[in-house]
């Protein structure tokens, strides 16, 4: 299996349960790892035979622009779109970290990790 990854993609977005979070926004970091088994010989050196991490980044950008109350919802949307764009993928892991969440004390980040396939 081959894995491609994006680590530390940074976004400013308006996700949060409370109206203030959706109004003020916050910084987020996203890590995405996608595993797949090549369907063809990778020695032919064609981008169409792999998972294009530029397209994965674009998916993350587009989903981060959609304000949502839960970062879990954002993570699931990213996973669903990667599966749709690259139906040959076997595993996807999306981690979203909300930097400096508005809590009573200092916290570096809160976060969520979404895995595909789901482990039950």
């Amino acid at each position: 299996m081959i894995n491609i990854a994006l680590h530390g993609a940074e976004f400013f977005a308006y996700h949060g349960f409370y109206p203030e979070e959706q109004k003020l926004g916050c910084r987020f970091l996203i890590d995405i790892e996608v595993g797949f088994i090549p369907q063809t010989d990778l020695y032919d050196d064609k981008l169409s035979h792999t998972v294009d991490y530029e397209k994965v980044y674009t998916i993350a950008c587009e989903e981060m622009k959609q304000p949502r109350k839960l970062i879990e919802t954002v993570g699931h949307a990213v996973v669903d779109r990667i599966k749709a764009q690259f139906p040959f993928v076997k595993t996807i892991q999306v981690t979203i970290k909300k930097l400096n969440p508005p809590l009573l004390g200092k916290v570096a980040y809160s976060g969520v990790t979404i895995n595909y396939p789901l482990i039950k």
Side-chain angles (χ1 to χ4, degrees):
M1 181 145 50
I2 294 176
N3 291 311
I4 66 101
L6 295 174
H7 290 281
E10 188 170 338
F11 300 94
F12 190 87
Y14 297 90
H15 307 301
F17 181 77
Y18 299 104
E20 301 83 31
E21 294 176 289
Q22 292 186 3
K23 183 178 179 182
L24 298 174
C26 186
R27 288 179 37 236
F28 294 84
L29 293 178
I30 298 182
D31 298 330
I32 302 172
E33 295 191 21
V34 180
F36 67 99
I37 297 172
Q39 303 297 301
T40 61
D41 187 356
L42 289 179
Y43 286 110
D44 64 9
D45 208 26
K46 293 185 179 179
L47 188 58
S48 62
H49 295 169
T50 188
V51 175
D52 181 349
Y53 57 79
E54 185 175 4
K55 289 181 181 177
V56 171
Y57 180 81
T58 298
I59 289 169
C61 285
E62 291 170 354
E63 292 303 324
M64 290 302 289
K65 289 178 183 176
Q66 304 295 323
R68 294 187 175 98
K69 291 182 179 178
L70 301 176
I71 56 177
E72 291 90 333
T73 307
V74 180
H76 275 288
V78 171
V79 167
D80 287 345
R81 290 202 42 207
I82 291 170
K83 287 189 315 189
Q85 179 84 39
F86 304 100
F88 55 90
V89 301
K90 299 296 182 195
T91 62
I92 304 169
Q93 184 175 69
V94 175
T95 299
I96 302 175
K97 299 173 184 173
K98 184 175 196 171
L99 303 181
N100 303 307
L103 299 171
L104 295 177
K106 183 174 176 158
V107 175
Y109 63 85
S110 59
V112 63
T113 299
I114 308 294
N115 287 295
Y116 167 82
L118 296 176
I119 301 169
K120 294 182 180 186

